[in-house]
Amino acid sequence: MTTAANHAGIATRALIFALLALACGHMLSTLLRTIPAVSLDLMAADFHIEPQALASLTSIYHFAFAAAQIPVGAAMDRFGVRPVSLSLLAGTVFGAVASGFATGPESFAVGQLLLGIATSGMLMCPMTLAAKQLSPGRFGLWSGAILSIGNIGMLLSASPLAFVVDNWGWRAGFWISAIGGVVVALAVFALVPNQPAEHKDESSPLAQMIEVLRLGLSRPLRGLIALALVSLATSLVLRGLWGGPWLMQVKGLSRVEAGNQLGAFTLAMIAGPLCIGMIDRRLGRRRALVAGSHLAGAVLLALMALGAPHYAVSTLFGVPVMPPQFDLVLFVLIGLATSAQPLLFGMSRQLVDAQTAGKALAAINLAFFLGAALMQSVTGAVAALAGLPAVLLFMAAMLALGVLIFLAYTSPSS
């Protein structure tokens, strides 16, 4: 009996270390996707292009990330988590080195393309291993832990990255990430078991993609897909791209001061899902909670934009521009308000049968990252035409529109 218990304890510890190693890959992914937030101005100056044009160019990362979701998921079913994870980490190291050595917009775009493909499975790898090895209750606990560990990457790309950029330049962020990729790959090689693939779905990745798209466009999921397209996009694009320029150019903060505020935003994004989850369990009104929190996020974004010089909120308070402390409070509140995104996964599972639950989750996940790519691309054009306050107002309007479509398609009558 004692021997069996010892074996079970050893197996549990081995699984925990394996999940932690894979979750560090997700942390590396969130670090890499948010590097431009504190270094966009320096990168644009090096490449001799406008920051707005470079901002649109970085959307290549998100397009590649979204496009690779289904093929990478199929590869994990066919080959197993360990070989796919090691292949993705090798691609991440190569993409980080390519981005760090970029000499112009074209070579930087190639690096972003490589990174988007390579990091596309960094969240799916630990989630897949956890789903195969853990009970539903423990999986719920670990899925939250994996997301929280991953978001530490955004903490690293706040003040610590700002310090690195100020002292050694923006390229150092990519080189350090490449070294981190090597370390994570060694940990995965040593700690993640080489389990046989299960061959759950022998259809081609193209056929799987078509089926996921068909399900996503079906009437039961349309409202969820509409909100998913703008939900994660708003927080990722604000945190990963425009938050830094907004604080440095409009509010006059230094790079490290801006990093500190973005760090507080990230802490709210880490704590938010836990808080929303507890509220969801107490209220039992998931649809109202999802809509209300996202609508609050839209209002908060609009308030931030209107605190710019000579805009409504600044005029109302009789100041030239709202102080940075105003933005700090709003960043934290936006991070909490937009943390209801994981509830869309739960809603999708309630709306479809067991046979299509996996594809429904994939459709929501695809919408999250495709929306981020579209939002990043479009806001670059908005910034070039109308400035940074217009970018925030545009994101607020898109978030509000997503909520309205969500409410229309998920109403009990429909």
Side-chain angles (χ1 to χ4, degrees), residues 192-267:
V192 177
N194 193 15
Q195 295 175 323
E198 295 183 10
H199 301 280
K200 286 184 179 176
D201 191 344
E202 291 295 338
S203 62
S204 69
L206 178 61
Q208 292 176 44
M209 178 74 81
I210 291 170
E211 178 60 21
V212 167
L213 293 176
R214 186 200 64 76
L215 187 63
L217 294 172
S218 65
R219 184 171 181 83
L221 290 189
R222 279 179 205 164
L224 276 65
I225 294 294
L227 187 54
L229 282 168
V230 293
S231 174
L232 186 65
T234 300
S235 52
L236 278 187
V237 173
L238 182 62
R239 171 60 188 86
L241 185 61
W242 295 117
W246 171 264
L247 292 169
M248 290 186 282
Q249 295 172 22
V250 178
K251 296 306 175 85
L253 297 186
S254 69
R255 199 175 307 278
V256 172
E257 288 170 337
N260 289 338
Q261 289 217 13
L262 294 177
F265 183 24
T266 306
L267 286 173

Side-chain angles (χ1 to χ4, degrees), residues 11-26 72-73 75-77 79-86 88 121-136 138-143 146 187-198 200:
T12 300
R13 283 194 294 274
L15 178 61
I16 289 172
F17 283 125
L19 289 173
L20 289 174
L22 291 169
C24 285
H26 179 42
V72 168
M76 273 190 282
D77 275 345
F79 306 112
V81 171
R82 186 173 185 260
V84 171
S85 177
L86 290 172
L88 293 175
M122 293 304 186
L123 176 58
M124 284 193 288
C125 285
M127 289 292 193
T128 301
L129 183 65
K132 288 179 179 180
Q133 298 290 317
L134 298 175
S135 65
R138 292 185 68 202
F139 174 70
L141 173 68
W142 268 98
S143 61
I146 290 164
V188 168
F189 184 81
L191 298 171
V192 177
N194 193 15
Q195 295 175 323
E198 295 183 10
K200 286 184 179 176

Side-chain angles (χ1 to χ4, degrees), residues 14 26 160 187 245 264 298 310 394 413:
H26 179 42
H310 314 301
F394 174 80
S413 60

Side-chain angles (χ1 to χ4, degrees), residues 133-339:
Q133 298 290 317
L134 298 175
S135 65
R138 292 185 68 202
F139 174 70
L141 173 68
W142 268 98
S143 61
I146 290 164
L147 289 169
S148 294
I149 292 168
N151 282 341
I152 293 172
M154 286 193 281
L155 278 180
L156 296 175
S157 69
S159 303
L161 180 65
F163 177 80
V164 169
V165 170
D166 268 345
N167 286 276
W168 296 288
W170 65 267
R171 297 176 190 273
F174 287 105
W175 295 332
I176 290 171
S177 298
I179 295 169
V182 173
V183 172
V184 174
L186 291 172
V188 168
F189 184 81
L191 298 171
V192 177
N194 193 15
Q195 295 175 323
E198 295 183 10
H199 301 280
K200 286 184 179 176
D201 191 344
E202 291 295 338
S203 62
S204 69
L206 178 61
Q208 292 176 44
M209 178 74 81
I210 291 170
E211 178 60 21
V212 167
L213 293 176
R214 186 200 64 76
L215 187 63
L217 294 172
S218 65
R219 184 171 181 83
L221 290 189
R222 279 179 205 164
L224 276 65
I225 294 294
L227 187 54
L229 282 168
V230 293
S231 174
L232 186 65
T234 300
S235 52
L236 278 187
V237 173
L238 182 62
R239 171 60 188 86
L241 185 61
W242 295 117
W246 171 264
L247 292 169
M248 290 186 282
Q249 295 172 22
V250 178
K251 296 306 175 85
L253 297 186
S254 69
R255 199 175 307 278
V256 172
E257 288 170 337
N260 289 338
Q261 289 217 13
L262 294 177
F265 183 24
T266 306
L267 286 173
M269 291 171 68
I270 292 171
L274 299 173
C275 298
I276 292 285
M278 288 188 286
I279 295 170
D280 177 50
R281 282 195 295 273
R282 283 178 178 268
L283 280 183
R285 300 181 63 184
R286 183 169 290 177
R287 176 176 175 267
L289 179 59
V290 169
S293 59
H294 281 90
L295 199 57
V299 172
L300 293 165
L301 265 171
L303 286 173
M304 183 180 287
L306 297 175
H310 314 301
Y311 276 67
V313 174
S314 299
T315 304
L316 181 66
F317 281 91
V319 294
V321 61
M322 292 300 289
Q325 291 84 351
F326 175 72
D327 299 88
L328 176 60
V329 172
L330 289 177
F331 269 126
V332 171
L333 293 176
I334 290 168
L336 294 172
T338 56
S339 291

Side-chain angles (χ1 to χ4, degrees), residues 346-388:
M347 290 187 73
S348 73
R349 295 196 66 172
Q350 292 172 327
L351 290 170
V352 298
D353 55 37
Q355 285 77 15
T356 54
K359 288 185 174 63
L361 296 178
I364 299 292
N365 204 35
L366 184 61
F368 276 143
F369 291 103
L370 179 60
L374 292 170
M375 183 79 81
Q376 192 148 322
S377 182
V378 173
T379 53
V382 173
L385 288 171
L388 292 179

